[in-house]
Amino acid sequence: MKHSVNRPPTPDGAEDQGNEPTLQEIINIKLIESGEKERLMELLRERLIECGWKDEMKALCRSYVKKKGRNNVTLDDLVHLITPKGRASVPDFVKAELLQRIRSFLMSAAL
Amino acid sequence: MSGPNEDNNTQLSSHIFGDLLDSIIVDVASECHRIAKLGLDRNLEEEEEEMRLSAQARARVADPSNSSETNTKYVVDIFGQTHPSVATEIFECMNCGRSIAAGRFAPHLEKCMGKGRKARLKVTRSSTAAQNRYSRGSPVSTYSPYSNSTSTNRLSNGTPSVAGEEYSNGTYEEPWNKT
């Protein structure tokens, strides 16, 4: 009996913490279900190829592989290699376009 | 509602954009990883191959058991040809008229023109004045067609350099360079 009195109620705990992740989760689900996430991904991919970003990343990978020898390279290595540079080198106009699209989706999703 | 929502929206948008970008980054990395592991990048392979071959060639050059080109039985030149260590082309000796193999020509000339007992007898018979200067003798001037004439340079008597000047070709090629 003491146990059940002292133990915090589980459902309440989840509700108290869970607002932000839940909102994001909801939005994520909406993005995926409406197909918008797929469209946004394709749009971003296309823009990144057009502006040469993908080629830059591939060149980075290639030189790393050449340096280390192709049998010593793990996927993890490459991801860690590209992530900081990749995030920093997205052109502003590409980022702006995507953010615009996402924001208008959020508006239309009207929470 | 619009105030905090706006900020939320901006933050959310950035977060969503970050997610999309991360996914694409992983895709690109995965593609490059696949290409690397499968050896599909031709340039990479070619360079590795070239580096391997140049390292091999360097090792061969540095190897003391290979004495440059003279170890020719097993060494292949850049055209993929091997040469026997003794040149095998056959010429006519201008002095005695015999057919001699190119690789044996110098020793033959030694005997034929100079240091042998029999040879000296021959020389004194033909031209007394030019006993030690074989270069000006008539046999030499008939030798022009052969670019291989420079094997006379091999004579240790010291005459060869003078003999060489007589030749119209003026070539000083080593026999190995003949194709």
Side-chain angles (χ1 to χ4, degrees):
Chain A
M1 287 232 189
K2 277 187 186 173
H3 277 300
S4 60
V5 170
N6 289 336
R7 187 168 51 103
T10 327
D12 287 355
E15 274 170 25
D16 281 341
Q17 304 163 10
N19 246 348
E20 285 183 46
T22 311
L23 178 63
Q24 277 188 359
E25 282 172 8
I26 291 176
I27 291 185
N28 209 21
I29 291 171
K30 284 208 164 186
L31 271 173
I32 295 174
E33 281 184 348
S34 63
E36 185 64 11
K37 187 165 194 189
E38 189 70 33
R39 284 189 288 268
L40 288 171
M41 274 268 259
E42 285 316 302
L43 177 64
L44 182 55
R45 238 191 275 267
E46 197 180 314
R47 290 287 178 266
L48 289 177
I49 290 176
E50 285 169 1
C51 71
W53 175 95
K54 186 176 180 185
D55 293 331
E56 278 178 40
M57 297 301 118
K58 285 182 81 169
L60 283 176
C61 291
R62 221 179 292 135
S63 68
Y64 181 83
V65 168
K66 202 186 299 180
K67 202 171 48 164
K68 278 214 139 190
R70 54 177 248 250
N71 290 322
N72 302 334
V73 174
T74 66
L75 180 57
D76 223 37
D77 287 344
L78 291 180
V79 170
H80 284 125
L81 176 72
I82 303 185
T83 298
K85 296 194 183 171
R87 284 186 175 165
S89 61
V90 177
D92 287 337
F93 71 92
V94 173
K95 190 166 183 181
E97 184 179 353
L98 264 294
L99 285 177
Q100 175 63 31
R101 280 280 290 257
I102 295 171
R103 234 179 277 130
S104 54
F105 175 81
L106 290 177
M107 307 288 201
S108 69
L111 292 159
Chain B
M1 267 225 187
S2 52
N5 249 9
E6 288 275 331
D7 294 339
N8 256 356
N9 261 2
T10 311
Q11 199 185 42
L12 264 176
S13 307
S14 297
H15 182 89
I16 293 172
F17 176 78
D19 271 350
L20 292 175
L21 189 57
D22 284 343
S23 295
I24 292 183
I25 285 177
V26 170
D27 282 348
V28 173
S30 152
E31 196 180 319
C32 292
H33 180 263
R34 173 180 177 269
I35 288 177
K37 291 295 180 178
L38 294 181
L40 295 180
D41 189 347
R42 293 303 303 162
N43 284 342
L44 197 67
E45 256 193 28
E46 283 166 13
E47 285 177 34
E48 282 180 10
E49 185 71 18
E50 273 180 35
M51 281 177 64
R52 208 171 42 84
L53 287 177
S54 71
Q56 254 184 31
R58 241 174 277 146
R60 221 179 288 144
V61 167
D63 191 351
S65 65
N66 279 350
S67 50
S68 63
E69 304 140 307
T70 57
N71 190 13
T72 49
K73 263 257 153 37
Y74 304 109
V75 168
V76 173
D77 72 7
I78 58 170
F79 297 113
Q81 301 171 324
T82 52
H83 303 277
S85 49
V86 175
T88 52
E89 278 200 43
I90 303 207
F91 299 91
E92 196 185 280
C93 170
M94 73 293 274
N95 206 25
C96 62
R98 273 196 266 166
S99 305
I100 311 290
R104 299 293 310 160
F105 195 62
H108 164 78
L109 271 190
E110 276 185 352
K111 297 195 189 74
C112 175
M113 291 184 126
K115 64 173 203 189
R117 182 178 60 90
K118 290 191 179 169
R120 242 182 253 136
L121 290 176
K122 247 170 67 173
V123 166
T124 49
R125 254 187 288 130
S126 61
S127 105
T128 47
Q131 193 168 24
N132 283 331
R133 295 195 179 279
Y134 306 118
S135 56
R136 309 298 173 198
S138 43
V140 172
S141 52
T142 61
Y143 199 56
S144 38
Y146 300 115
S147 63
N148 194 24
S149 54
T150 53
S151 27
T152 55
N153 289 343
R154 300 272 176 78
L155 289 180
S156 50
N157 295 348
T159 52
S161 46
V162 187
E165 286 161 12
E166 290 297 296
Y167 305 134
S168 49
N169 291 351
T171 52
Y172 276 85
E173 307 158 294
E174 298 285 274
W176 317 122
N177 289 350
K178 269 179 2 80
T179 50

